[in-house]
mmCIF file of all heavy atoms in Angstrom:
data_model
loop_
_atom_site.group_PDB
_atom_site.id
_atom_site.type_symbol
_atom_site.label_atom_id
_atom_site.label_comp_id
_atom_site.label_asym_id
_atom_site.label_seq_id
_atom_site.Cartn_x
_atom_site.Cartn_y
_atom_site.Cartn_z
ATOM 1 N N VAL D 279 -43.702 52.717 41.642
ATOM 2 C CA VAL D 279 -43.362 53.136 42.948
ATOM 3 C C VAL D 279 -43.952 52.210 43.966
ATOM 4 O O VAL D 279 -43.304 51.801 44.979
ATOM 5 C CB VAL D 279 -43.699 54.575 43.147
ATOM 6 C CG1 VAL D 279 -43.366 55.027 44.620
ATOM 7 C CG2 VAL D 279 -43.062 55.499 42.172
ATOM 8 N N SER D 280 -45.221 51.877 43.772
ATOM 9 C CA SER D 280 -45.900 51.010 44.719
ATOM 10 C C SER D 280 -45.260 49.627 44.785
ATOM 11 O O SER D 280 -45.091 49.060 45.879
ATOM 12 C CB SER D 280 -47.368 50.806 44.269
ATOM 13 O OG SER D 280 -48.019 49.751 44.874
ATOM 14 N N GLU D 281 -44.818 49.103 43.669
ATOM 15 C CA GLU D 281 -44.099 47.830 43.657
ATOM 16 C C GLU D 281 -42.783 47.914 44.441
ATOM 17 O O GLU D 281 -42.432 47.043 45.176
ATOM 18 C CB GLU D 281 -43.828 47.336 42.195
ATOM 19 C CG GLU D 281 -45.073 46.874 41.485
ATOM 20 C CD GLU D 281 -44.772 46.499 40.008
ATOM 21 O OE1 GLU D 281 -43.555 46.470 39.624
ATOM 22 O OE2 GLU D 281 -45.768 46.225 39.278
ATOM 23 N N LEU D 282 -42.063 49.009 44.305
ATOM 24 C CA LEU D 282 -40.801 49.216 44.977
ATOM 25 C C LEU D 282 -41.135 49.234 46.477
ATOM 26 O O LEU D 282 -40.330 48.643 47.264
ATOM 27 C CB LEU D 282 -40.162 50.531 44.582
ATOM 28 C CG LEU D 282 -39.301 50.505 43.260
ATOM 29 C CD1 LEU D 282 -38.740 51.887 43.014
ATOM 30 C CD2 LEU D 282 -38.138 49.454 43.430
ATOM 31 N N GLU D 283 -42.130 49.861 46.855
ATOM 32 C CA GLU D 283 -42.512 49.920 48.298
ATOM 33 C C GLU D 283 -42.856 48.516 48.842
ATOM 34 O O GLU D 283 -42.393 48.156 49.932
ATOM 35 C CB GLU D 283 -43.721 50.870 48.506
ATOM 36 C CG GLU D 283 -43.341 52.371 48.367
ATOM 37 C CD GLU D 283 -44.555 53.276 48.285
ATOM 38 O OE1 GLU D 283 -45.652 52.800 47.966
ATOM 39 O OE2 GLU D 283 -44.424 54.449 48.509
ATOM 40 N N GLN D 284 -43.597 47.763 48.055
ATOM 41 C CA GLN D 284 -43.875 46.397 48.545
ATOM 42 C C GLN D 284 -42.664 45.578 48.674
ATOM 43 O O GLN D 284 -42.472 44.791 49.592
ATOM 44 C CB GLN D 284 -44.822 45.709 47.458
ATOM 45 C CG GLN D 284 -46.245 46.283 47.513
ATOM 46 C CD GLN D 284 -47.091 45.604 46.433
ATOM 47 O OE1 GLN D 284 -47.393 44.431 46.458
ATOM 48 N NE2 GLN D 284 -47.542 46.385 45.407
ATOM 49 N N ILE D 285 -41.739 45.672 47.642
ATOM 50 C CA ILE D 285 -40.524 44.900 47.718
ATOM 51 C C ILE D 285 -39.728 45.245 48.945
ATOM 52 O O ILE D 285 -39.210 44.440 49.697
ATOM 53 C CB ILE D 285 -39.705 45.023 46.413
ATOM 54 C CG1 ILE D 285 -40.498 44.508 45.234
ATOM 55 C CG2 ILE D 285 -38.352 44.405 46.525
ATOM 56 C CD1 ILE D 285 -39.850 44.808 43.858
ATOM 57 N N ALA D 286 -39.576 46.567 49.113
ATOM 58 C CA ALA D 286 -38.703 47.052 50.243
ATOM 59 C C ALA D 286 -39.337 46.566 51.556
ATOM 60 O O ALA D 286 -38.590 46.147 52.468
ATOM 61 C CB ALA D 286 -38.634 48.618 50.201
ATOM 62 N N GLU D 287 -40.662 46.576 51.705
ATOM 63 C CA GLU D 287 -41.270 46.162 52.948
ATOM 64 C C GLU D 287 -41.051 44.637 53.197
ATOM 65 O O GLU D 287 -40.747 44.269 54.336
ATOM 66 C CB GLU D 287 -42.762 46.453 52.871
ATOM 67 C CG GLU D 287 -43.503 46.227 54.195
ATOM 68 C CD GLU D 287 -45.004 46.164 54.036
ATOM 69 O OE1 GLU D 287 -45.555 46.870 53.163
ATOM 70 O OE2 GLU D 287 -45.670 45.375 54.746
ATOM 71 N N LEU D 288 -41.149 43.878 52.149
ATOM 72 C CA LEU D 288 -40.908 42.383 52.320
ATOM 73 C C LEU D 288 -39.484 42.151 52.647
ATOM 74 O O LEU D 288 -39.223 41.251 53.488
ATOM 75 C CB LEU D 288 -41.294 41.710 51.018
ATOM 76 C CG LEU D 288 -42.778 41.546 50.733
ATOM 77 C CD1 LEU D 288 -43.004 41.038 49.300
ATOM 78 C CD2 LEU D 288 -43.350 40.493 51.678
ATOM 79 N N LEU D 289 -38.557 42.868 52.057
ATOM 80 C CA LEU D 289 -37.196 42.697 52.383
ATOM 81 C C LEU D 289 -36.862 43.133 53.798
ATOM 82 O O LEU D 289 -36.070 42.496 54.507
ATOM 83 C CB LEU D 289 -36.345 43.419 51.379
ATOM 84 C CG LEU D 289 -36.342 42.841 49.931
ATOM 85 C CD1 LEU D 289 -35.601 43.768 48.989
ATOM 86 C CD2 LEU D 289 -35.686 41.458 49.941
ATOM 87 N N ASP D 290 -37.465 44.232 54.219
ATOM 88 C CA ASP D 290 -37.303 44.698 55.610
ATOM 89 C C ASP D 290 -37.715 43.621 56.591
ATOM 90 O O ASP D 290 -37.029 43.400 57.579
ATOM 91 C CB ASP D 290 -38.093 45.962 55.835
ATOM 92 C CG ASP D 290 -37.291 47.240 55.614
ATOM 93 O OD1 ASP D 290 -36.053 47.133 55.572
ATOM 94 O OD2 ASP D 290 -37.886 48.325 55.477
#
Side-chain angles (χ1 to χ4, degrees):
Chain D
V279 177
S280 164
E281 288 178 7
L282 278 178
E283 287 169 339
Q284 290 176 63
I285 294 171
E287 190 196 324
L288 285 167
L289 291 170
D290 265 345

